[in-house]
Amino acid sequence: MTPFIELFTPVSIRGMTVKNRVVMPSMLTHMASVNGEVTDRLAAYYAERAKGGAGLIFPEATAVDDSGLSYFRGLSIAHDRYVPGLKKLARAIHEHGSRAGIQLGHGGRYAQPEFSRSARRLVSYLPGISPEEDARVMDKEEIERLAGCFVQAAERAAQAGFDMVEIHGAHGYLIGSFLSPFTNRRTDEWGGSFENRMRFAEVVIRGIRRRLGPDFPLSFRLSSDEFLPGGITVDLAAKIAAYVVHCGVDLVHVSAGMIDTNRFTGPPPVLPMGWNADNAAVIRKALEGTNALVTVAGRIHDGDTAERILREGKADLVSIGRALIADPWLPHKLETGQLKKITPCLSCNEGCVGSIGKNRPLSCAVNPRVGFEQRPARHVENARKVVIVGAGVAGMEAALTAARLGHAITLLEKDSRLGGLVNIAALPPHKDIFLRLIDHMSHELVENGVKLVLGNAVSAADLKAMAPDVIIVATGSRPVIPGFLKNSSAMTAADVLSGCPTGQKTLVLGGGLVGAETAEFLAAQGKEVAVLEMRDEIAPDMQGRARAFLMEELSARHVKLMTGLEVRSVDGNGVVIVKDRYGNEYPLPRYDTLVAAMGYRSEQSLCAELTREGMRFVAIGDCVKADKIMAAVHQGYHAAKAI
């Protein structure tokens, strides 16, 4: 019996029964066609999440008008010609017992002219914020036309077989721009007072209700807080929620942030699990006495968090987003007690947000199968004997994938534990979630019959004696120690993160991701910390949302950031001589401890030895190029698939 009783209790939304309380919210995929049509790839992606047990699935925001296209390969419902493809999408979700909702949206000031082929529609002009090119403030005629587009789109959604329509009023897009005092500075009937700011949403909701009738479920997504001075706060969000419910909404879908503050929309681990639930509780209280329900998003990545939110009455349903990208079968595994088999979302945003930001299809750091659901891996006919050297995440993923395909796998690791450098990466503040990935992969290695040999370094001769059919080398990387530190007492970032003591005044040499996180780690201990970086920015290699929080934390802890400086030498007393961009050289004040955080160099000694012996192998992960978890996992997966 599942311990998640509330999570797997059915719920009724205006007569529509949903089998559990798991909502998959709209998240962009870039898997639609270039003109906004549903593709086989897109349908298979959502079908997999339905197979995995999500009760209610909202595909990505669907443009109600060509002028509202915000995304490369964004989905559209702006014309009747899209209905056949949308029928296919709804059917793909229904076939596996899930309810299919559809989110109707318009990009507003965030629409992209290169996709929409028209000027951005602005609610108001915001000095210093609104784009100057390809943009115009809407007049009354245009506003009324776009409200009608939402209503027409809702009718198409019903024709396509969707069970529910969600009106996108969050994140500063068109409707959100009307709702927020920050973005709505109009002085006509569409702005000014609260009722005037609500007018566009009201016209849309009432228009859809009239068109679809009294029994069709409607959802409204809003931001509980925009995190901008003068923007929506939780008290205003609660007032907005009560108003839209009065207009005919059945489900209030509570998100957070806007594009300008999107680090709160899909936050890194610095924000705790379920962090937005307290705001949802305020909104839910404002709806007392109505039949409306609330669902909340905000790092709900595990069953315990979801169940707690429901039991405490903070929401009626929970929106699980990135965790369903990482593991589409999360609901099924929770319901059947297979907790160790759940692939954990790291909240890293490297694959989901990162790929979308580069106009690439959705991906995932820990799930390389995302976007390829229509081509499931199948057992091989001719099993091979595979030896993998190195049990970091690249080697572990290669071993898991190959074992699942039916190959016989031996995984060798020179250290006494699995995980490689991820064990170090998990030590800075908020990064312990990485250990969940190691625990999960370790469990799966055993479950899939991988032979593990730990604490034993191997040579080419050892591998030759094992006579494998395939050798995969995943020996990782090691810290770079530049020549000017060879004779110093400098420590590595790994030393510091592992607990080696430092002095009170510490200088971190290198301001990339590792150096910046090490500085935060030390500053949290009350140390006086400075960071020296040759580039003009600190942590430019860090995912943007995580970096925004980190830079705030470094500032709050008074970490001194020195950029644009090159280390020229370090004398015997540990004094660092630097050169600025103009060629001036000078010494820095003396620090008690120097920490080298200047990157990692691939460990290729085994590759070199195998090459000398004429032995064929495949190299993956950091031993090819020091990189992040996503690169390691994906390389391991594809190397195994290629066997």
Side-chain angles (χ1 to χ4, degrees):
M1 184 175 179
T2 177
F4 308 111
I5 304 300
E6 297 293 332
L7 188 59
F8 292 101
T9 298
V11 62
S12 178
I13 307 173
R14 195 176 280 261
M16 175 187 73
T17 299
V18 182
K19 65 183 180 182
N20 58 44
R21 307 299 177 105
V22 178
V23 177
M24 181 179 183
S26 295
M27 294 173 289
L28 186 59
T29 67
H30 283 173
M31 295 182 199
S33 72
V34 290
N35 66 349
E37 292 179 307
V38 172
T39 62
D40 290 344
R41 186 182 195 184
L42 184 76
Y45 167 80
Y46 287 110
E48 186 71 11
R49 275 76 199 162
K51 288 180 190 177
L56 173 59
I57 295 176
F58 288 106
E60 60 214 67
T62 309
V64 301
D65 184 71
D66 291 341
S67 66
L69 289 168
S70 308
Y71 315 120
F72 170 76
R73 294 185 180 273
L75 200 59
S76 180
I77 195 171
H79 305 283
D80 290 344
R81 67 175 179 270
Y82 294 113
V83 172
L86 292 167
K87 281 184 178 179
K88 178 179 180 179
L89 178 55
R91 188 165 56 247
I93 295 170
H94 286 151
E95 283 176 353
H96 304 288
S98 299
R99 292 291 188 175
I102 192 164
Q103 187 182 85
L104 307 181
H106 186 290
R109 69 187 180 106
Y110 299 125
Q112 298 298 318
E114 61 264 41
F115 308 139
S116 68
R117 305 298 181 193
S118 63
R120 298 177 182 91
R121 270 53 171 177
L122 306 181
V123 172
S124 302
Y125 176 74
L126 309 179
I129 297 175
S130 296
E132 297 288 347
E133 297 181 354
D134 291 322
R136 60 181 175 82
V137 176
M138 296 181 293
D139 57 21
K140 179 180 179 181
E141 182 180 1
E142 176 76 350
I143 291 171
E144 291 175 343
R145 185 188 75 81
L146 289 179
C149 289
F150 276 89
V151 177
Q152 294 163 14
E155 188 170 28
R156 293 186 189 105
Q159 291 171 0
F162 285 90
D163 304 297
M164 188 175 204
V165 162
E166 178 165 274
I167 300 156
H168 196 348
H171 307 151
Y173 293 106
L174 182 68
I175 295 180
S177 289
F178 276 103
L179 301 178
S180 175
F182 177 79
T183 47
N184 188 344
R185 305 181 188 181
R186 301 178 72 98
T187 56
D188 59 6
E189 68 267 38
W190 303 98
S193 69
F194 172 76
E195 289 74 18
N196 282 356
R197 294 199 310 273
M198 293 299 304
R199 191 179 305 279
F200 186 81
E202 180 174 3
V203 169
V204 168
I205 295 165
R206 293 193 185 280
I208 292 175
R209 176 59 69 207
R210 284 193 298 270
R211 189 70 63 92
L212 299 187
D215 300 324
F216 198 91
L218 299 183
S219 173
F220 190 92
R221 195 167 201 198
L222 60 79
S223 294
S224 66
D225 197 321
E226 290 183 323
F227 300 100
L228 281 174
I232 292 172
T233 61
V234 65
D235 291 335
L236 178 54
K239 190 176 179 181
I240 292 169
Y243 197 99
V244 298
V245 166
H246 174 73
C247 295
V249 164
D250 308 295
L251 178 68
V252 176
H253 194 161
V254 181
S255 184
M258 56 199 305
I259 298 301
D260 308 73
T261 56
N262 63 11
R263 57 188 166 150
F264 294 98
T265 305
V270 63
L271 294 186
M273 292 282 195
W275 70 276
N276 198 29
D278 287 343
N279 280 352
V282 174
I283 291 168
R284 189 171 187 257
K285 185 173 179 57
L287 303 182
E288 288 180 352
T290 74
N291 294 321
L293 304 178
V294 168
T295 186
V296 60
R299 288 203 71 223
I300 304 171
H301 290 174
D302 58 54
D304 290 337
T305 301
E307 186 74 7
R308 173 177 52 80
I309 290 170
L310 297 173
R311 284 188 184 275
E312 293 176 355
K314 294 181 177 179
D316 303 285
L317 301 94
V318 289
S319 293
I320 301 177
R322 289 173 292 172
L324 284 175
I325 301 174
D327 193 335
W329 287 76
L330 171 65
H332 173 75
K333 292 175 182 177
L334 289 174
E335 188 172 21
T336 56
Q338 302 179 72
L339 305 188
K340 291 184 177 180
K341 294 187 71 65
I342 295 170
T343 304
C345 173
L346 304 181
S347 301
C348 65
N349 289 328
E350 293 292 348
C352 46
V353 173
S355 295
I356 296 302
K358 298 173 183 175
N359 281 345
R360 296 173 182 168
L362 182 75
S363 187
C364 177
V366 297
N367 182 4
R369 292 161 292 283
V370 169
F372 301 97
E373 290 83 2
Q374 78 274 32
R375 296 198 299 273
R378 306 198 182 280
H379 240 51
V380 296
E381 294 182 2
N382 300 311
R384 312 291 297 280
K385 180 181 178 182
V386 182
V387 173
I388 301 171
V389 184
V393 291
M396 294 171 82
E397 179 62 38
L400 276 175
T401 300
R404 288 166 177 160
L405 291 172
H407 298 293
I409 311 299
T410 299
L411 178 59
L412 309 173
E413 170 57 48
K414 68 177 182 179
D415 291 332
S416 58
R417 61 177 177 172
L418 301 171
L421 283 175
V422 173
N423 291 298
I424 301 298
L427 295 174
H430 322 298
K431 300 295 284 289
D432 57 315
I433 193 171
F434 283 15
L435 296 179
R436 293 191 184 187
L437 178 63
I438 300 305
D439 290 343
H440 162 71
M441 298 180 84
S442 300
H443 173 267
E444 289 297 289
L445 289 170
V446 174
E447 287 288 299
N448 286 276
V450 174
K451 181 181 178 182
L452 299 173
V453 181
L454 304 181
N456 187 23
V458 295
S459 64
D462 296 326
L463 292 173
K464 183 178 290 187
M466 296 176 71
D469 300 311
V470 177
I471 299 172
I472 296 177
V473 179
T475 46
S477 58
R478 47 192 167 82
V480 171
I481 306 296
F484 55 75
L485 290 178
K486 293 293 185 183
N487 298 317
S488 75
S489 59
M491 305 166 65
T492 67
D495 293 332
V496 172
L497 295 171
S498 298
C500 293
T502 65
Q504 180 60 27
K505 292 183 61 177
T506 301
L507 176 63
V508 179
L509 301 173
L513 183 153
V514 174
E517 289 188 336
T518 303
E520 181 188 16
F521 176 84
L522 289 167
Q525 300 174 21
K527 307 283 187 179
E528 183 181 337
V529 184
V531 178
L532 181 68
E533 171 57 44
M534 188 164 60
R535 293 170 292 188
D536 292 331
E537 286 186 292
I538 296 294
D541 51 339
M542 197 171 189
Q543 200 283 322
R545 298 184 186 187
R547 182 179 183 273
F549 281 108
L550 177 66
M551 295 303 291
E552 280 188 357
E553 184 68 11
L554 294 179
S555 175
R557 294 191 178 277
H558 307 292
V559 174
K560 184 178 181 180
L561 306 177
M562 299 179 284
T563 59
L565 296 176
E566 177 187 354
V567 177
R568 297 297 291 165
S569 64
V570 178
D571 70 17
N573 296 317
V575 175
V576 178
I577 310 298
V578 298
K579 182 174 76 172
D580 66 19
R581 59 175 56 89
Y582 306 110
N584 301 308
E585 293 191 12
Y586 55 88
L588 297 179
R590 191 178 185 284
Y591 289 86
D592 301 326
T593 305
L594 300 182
V595 179
M598 309 182 85
Y600 283 81
R601 179 175 291 113
S602 297
E603 175 50 73
Q604 298 181 333
S605 57
L606 181 60
C607 294
E609 187 180 352
L610 290 170
T611 301
R612 289 194 298 271
E613 295 295 325
M615 298 172 65
R616 297 182 62 184
F617 65 94
V618 176
I620 60 172
D622 276 13
C623 78
V624 177
K625 176 186 177 184
D627 210 328
K628 298 179 182 178
I629 287 177
M630 180 170 169
V633 169
H634 283 239
Q635 288 178 34
Y637 174 77
H638 289 293
K641 288 265 291 183
I643 295 173

